Amino acid sequence: SGKWKDSGLGEAYEAARKNPDIVTVIDWKPYGPSAGALASFLSTGIKQNGELVGIFATQLPPDAKPICSVLDAISAQSWSDAIAEVNNQRMLVQKATRMCLQVVKGVDVQESRIAFVLAVGDATASFRKTLKGYDSIPAPPTQAIANVLLHAWNQW
């Protein structure tokens, strides 16, 4: 209750009251008591003998706000291009798999071997482009994402 119950701090308090066992993050938005400056809050419940006895909440300082989100830097067109490229990679991997199976089964062995090598080469080139970034598709924004992509490729 009170004047600031609908503020970020009020949201943080209510969230911690409802889910006291987790840390809640309230996103950046203007906060009246800080002269309308952007503020974000973290909150969690304080328990004693398993019973909620209080709420801890803290306001993050305005300079803690990230300059930009990695995802904010990617345009709708870039997302569309990235999705199209992932679908292209999927098709290339499926083609390489099909050609490999044809070789194993003895179907058009010479042509299938050539098509297999070409499909693997195309898939590898496409994957490398994705890792480096190209045209409107940026490179993976973090090493963790790049590592996941490399792991997926190595599994294939």
Side-chain angles (χ1 to χ4, degrees), residues 24-87:
T24 300
V25 179
I26 303 301
D27 206 6
W28 297 92
K29 58 182 157 185
Y31 181 56
S34 295
L38 291 179
S40 176
F41 293 89
L42 302 177
S43 65
T44 192
I46 300 170
K47 289 186 167 184
Q48 185 174 28
N49 299 324
E51 194 168 320
L52 184 64
V53 295
I55 302 293
F56 172 79
T58 186
Q59 178 181 353
L60 298 176
D63 60 352
K65 186 174 193 272
I67 294 171
C68 68
S69 165
V70 171
L71 297 179
D72 290 343
I74 302 174
S75 70
Q77 183 61 51
S78 293
W79 279 114
S80 180
D81 292 347
I83 291 167
E85 189 58 35
V86 167
N87 281 329

